[in-house]
Amino acid sequence: MGDKKKQKDIPEATGTAKLSKKQYESELAQLHVELVKLQQWVVATGAKVCIVFEGRDGAGKGGTIKALTERVSPRVFRVVALPAPTEREKSQMYMQRYLPHLPAAGEVVIFDRSWYNRAGVERVMGFCSQPQVDAFLKAVPLVERVMIDSGILFFKYWLEVTEAEQTRRLQSRINDGRKTWKLTKMDLDSYSRWYDYSRARDEMFKASDTAISPWYVGRSDDKKRIRLNIITHLLEHIPYTAGPKEKITLPKRQKAKGYTQPEHPFRYVPEKF
């Protein structure tokens, strides 16, 4: 992959009209119903599901995870986004700080970035040595096989954004007060190293895209489509079944039996809207 001739690492979908907001929300609502069924199945069967999201800065990981989790219980669907390791954690076996977050029975754990930091940002930004990267890439397929053999349903998604779209999204973070927290010095340092990240990604795929633990790549320039596609793919690859639908009716309220509203001076929130 040469620097002289710019090219897209992964071809962008072409000839596809953008989804309208109405169509997107309608499709997402149907998928949310299925995710609730999945949640009920996970709890009822004691299934363990682990989902890893990786990709460049601005690839859309956060928005995809939000779309995936916004209508399910955070006690079942748990999002893990670990901060930079502490000095103590740096002295541990590399995978050690991630292991306590793996799912137990009845849980879906979603990693917003994961142990693959070692193959990506840590490698590119010089936070680890090449021997450490080599050791990680050699060990990670074995670790993931142990996870899967233990009964975890394991999925890895790489969100691929094009150079132009990444630039547009990162630029928008500069100009939007709601998004400035998303733009860190690390993001800025990483932005200039597109091909370093491309090479790191390619080696990561070569080492860890295995038959038992494959990487699924989603083109993420269109935020609406990638969210729908990822959720649909996940639902299609988990053998969940819908449980019996119970008829729910609201019970009658108790009678007041002399209750009267108190004279307490409640401090109501000002109604400015």
Side-chain angles (χ1 to χ4, degrees):
M1 189 180 298
D3 290 4
K4 294 182 179 179
K5 182 180 179 181
K6 288 191 174 182
Q7 57 186 1
K8 296 171 182 175
D9 294 321
I10 295 177
E12 184 181 8
T14 57
T16 305
K18 286 188 174 295
L19 289 175
S20 68
K21 181 179 179 181
K22 182 177 180 180
Q23 183 182 2
Y24 167 70
E25 291 179 347
S26 175
E27 295 287 347
L28 186 59
Q30 295 179 55
L31 292 174
H32 283 159
V33 172
E34 293 303 312
L35 285 169
V36 170
K37 294 177 184 178
L38 171 62
Q39 173 180 278
Q40 293 170 332
W41 175 82
V42 166
V43 172
T45 63
K48 298 177 290 185
V49 182
C50 182
I51 308 166
V52 164
F53 281 98
E54 292 287 348
R56 303 175 194 267
D57 295 320
K61 297 180 295 296
T64 303
I65 291 171
K66 182 179 179 180
L68 177 60
T69 59
E70 63 184 342
R71 294 294 181 176
V72 290
S73 170
R75 292 186 294 273
V76 179
F77 280 72
R78 187 158 50 84
V79 179
V80 176
L82 297 185
T86 64
E87 289 303 315
R88 181 177 185 275
E89 288 171 333
K90 289 178 183 178
S91 72
Q92 295 174 342
M93 179 184 72
Y94 176 70
M95 287 285 291
Q96 189 170 338
R97 76 183 189 124
Y98 295 98
L99 297 179
H101 299 281
L102 294 178
E107 292 182 343
V108 178
V109 173
I110 301 169
F111 282 92
D112 184 354
R113 294 195 183 276
S114 66
W115 44 90
Y116 281 101
N117 277 343
R118 173 129 300 180
V121 62
E122 290 187 16
R123 175 182 192 170
V124 173
M125 302 306 295
F127 297 149
C128 63
S129 66
Q130 186 60 46
Q132 287 176 317
V133 174
D134 295 339
F136 169 77
L137 292 177
K138 183 178 180 180
V140 71
L142 304 176
V143 174
E144 291 176 358
R145 174 174 284 278
V146 171
M147 290 167 53
I148 293 166
D149 288 346
S150 77
I152 293 176
L153 300 174
F154 185 48
F155 300 90
K156 299 185 298 193
Y157 291 106
W158 175 272
L159 274 57
E160 183 68 19
V161 65
T162 59
E163 288 183 81
E165 181 61 15
Q166 186 197 45
T167 297
R168 189 193 69 78
R169 291 179 184 177
L170 296 183
Q171 187 66 45
S172 74
R173 295 179 182 180
I174 298 174
N175 302 324
D176 190 335
R178 300 168 299 174
K179 300 177 180 179
T180 52
W181 65 272
K182 293 184 175 183
L183 195 61
T184 66
K185 184 179 184 301
M186 182 69 66
D187 297 330
L188 297 175
D189 290 343
S190 298
Y191 175 76
S192 64
R193 306 189 183 197
W194 178 272
Y195 288 105
D196 287 343
Y197 272 97
S198 294
R199 295 183 183 96
R201 178 206 60 198
D202 295 347
E203 288 193 34
M204 181 186 77
F205 279 8
K206 184 178 180 180
S208 61
D209 184 19
T210 63
I212 191 173
S213 180
W215 278 102
Y216 297 107
V217 179
R219 288 185 285 251
S220 64
D221 276 19
D222 187 321
K223 291 182 178 180
K224 294 186 178 73
R225 290 187 184 278
I226 188 59
R227 294 168 188 172
L228 298 179
N229 288 334
I230 290 285
I231 297 173
T232 299
H233 182 273
L234 179 68
L235 290 168
E236 289 176 348
H237 284 76
I238 298 179
Y240 73 99
T241 55
K245 189 174 182 180
E246 299 180 4
K247 184 178 181 181
I248 301 174
T249 56
L250 293 176
K252 292 182 179 180
R253 291 192 189 275
Q254 62 182 170
K255 295 182 179 180
K257 295 182 180 179
Y259 174 81
T260 58
Q261 291 292 339
E263 297 180 0
H264 183 81
F266 292 108
R267 295 178 176 84
Y268 288 104
V269 175
E271 296 179 349
K272 296 183 178 181
F273 300 97

